[in-house]
Amino acid sequence: MVRLGVNIDHTATLRNARGGGEPEPLIAAAMAELGGADGITVHLREDRRHIKDRDVVLLRSSVNLPLNLEMACTKEIIDIARNILPDMCTLVPEKRAELTTEGGLDVAGNFEKIKKSVSRLMDKGIEVSLFIAPEEEQIICASKTGAKFVELHTGAYADAGVQQHKDELNKLFIAAQTAQQNGLIVNAGHGLNYRNILPVAQIKGLYEVNIGHSVISRALYTGLTKAVSDMKALLAIASGAAQGI
Ligand code: PXP
């Protein structure tokens, strides 16, 4: 079954709106774990818009699940990751110049910089994933950086209207296959929700999805534990469907 990484950034966004201490991302992580999350994801942005350094430190020392740190490919943030030692770092673009057409990391255009960053992280025993658009050139370049994982950007699929939906899904299927043929383990994320997850979760060999906004939004109504277990239930259905059950 596809694993579920829950991105809890938005709890920090809400906290920061008042500048106080609630809601506490650490509690969100514990509730996500109770709901069956397989991992916790946070994005330490250069402007610290939501998650702060203290959040990452606390999560690292208290969360039992694998911790995935999304981050820009900059020296400052890479040095922080090398100190905190998350289980995985997912390199994401934060500046326009680092973007490909569909909003993923432009590995092809920033190859040497990304390759060096991957090896600085892997030297410390941290797994690395590259968040890329489902494009062949990016996948091939990603496979040459030394990273073992890619996270396919599902934003275009999530935003597609009825006409383009099938095409965008196909791009993801083909990209996942290409990545696997090039030795990469494939994750997916961005814009995934309770309505659009099923076809993505049936991508052959998909390892993990990272989902934030839709799960945290549902949590306002149902509580986070239930919101996570509802998503896990859909992933279980997708795994049954993929096996023809
Ligand atoms: N994966 C990556 C690399 C992301 O940057 C984000 C957004 O922070 C997500 C997954 C989660 O996206 P969403 O909040 O739309 O579920």
Side-chain angles (χ1 to χ4, degrees), residues 7 9-10 41 43 45 70 90 92 131 151 188-192 210-214:
N7 180 317
D9 289 347
H10 290 305
T41 294
H43 186 173
R45 288 184 168 270
E70 290 174 1
T90 301
V92 302
F131 182 53
E151 179 170 331
H190 201 89
L192 296 175
N210 278 306
I211 308 185
H213 189 265
S214 66

Side-chain angles (χ1 to χ4, degrees), residues 6-160:
V6 176
N7 180 317
I8 58 169
D9 289 347
H10 290 305
T11 55
T13 310
L14 194 54
R15 174 194 62 192
N16 299 352
R18 281 288 171 98
E22 64 180 9
E24 167 58 63
L26 205 54
I27 297 179
M31 295 187 72
E33 182 173 1
L34 281 178
D38 299 294
I40 299 297
T41 294
V42 288
H43 186 173
L44 186 66
R45 288 184 168 270
E46 288 177 87
D47 62 7
R48 308 300 198 271
R49 190 186 308 166
H50 31 63
I51 290 293
K52 315 256 185 223
D53 300 55
R54 124 331 153 192
D55 298 323
V56 188
V57 171
L58 284 176
L59 287 164
R60 173 66 294 181
S61 59
S62 0
V63 169
N64 296 317
L65 298 173
L67 180 64
N68 172 27
L69 184 64
E70 290 174 1
M71 49 186 260
C73 198
T74 65
K75 183 173 181 313
E76 183 217 352
I77 305 279
I78 285 168
D79 286 345
I80 291 172
R82 280 167 56 94
N83 265 326
I84 295 179
L85 301 177
D87 298 280
M88 175 178 278
C89 289
T90 301
L91 298 179
V92 302
E94 279 191 16
K95 299 195 171 68
R96 273 239 63 87
E98 297 167 341
L99 288 178
T100 55
T101 43
E102 291 178 24
L105 195 60
D106 183 6
V107 190
N110 300 277
F111 182 75
E112 287 307 328
K113 179 180 165 194
I114 291 172
K115 186 168 178 239
K116 187 168 166 222
S117 304
V118 170
S119 83
R120 287 197 72 221
L121 292 166
M122 290 185 70
D123 282 352
K124 285 281 188 180
I126 305 169
E127 291 290 4
V128 182
S129 178
L130 304 179
F131 182 53
I132 56 171
E135 294 168 356
E136 188 175 357
E137 186 190 17
Q138 298 299 337
I139 295 165
I140 303 296
C141 288
S143 74
K144 294 178 181 160
T145 61
K148 291 209 194 106
F149 291 76
V150 283
E151 179 170 331
L152 297 178
H153 195 319
T154 47
Y157 159 78
D159 292 342

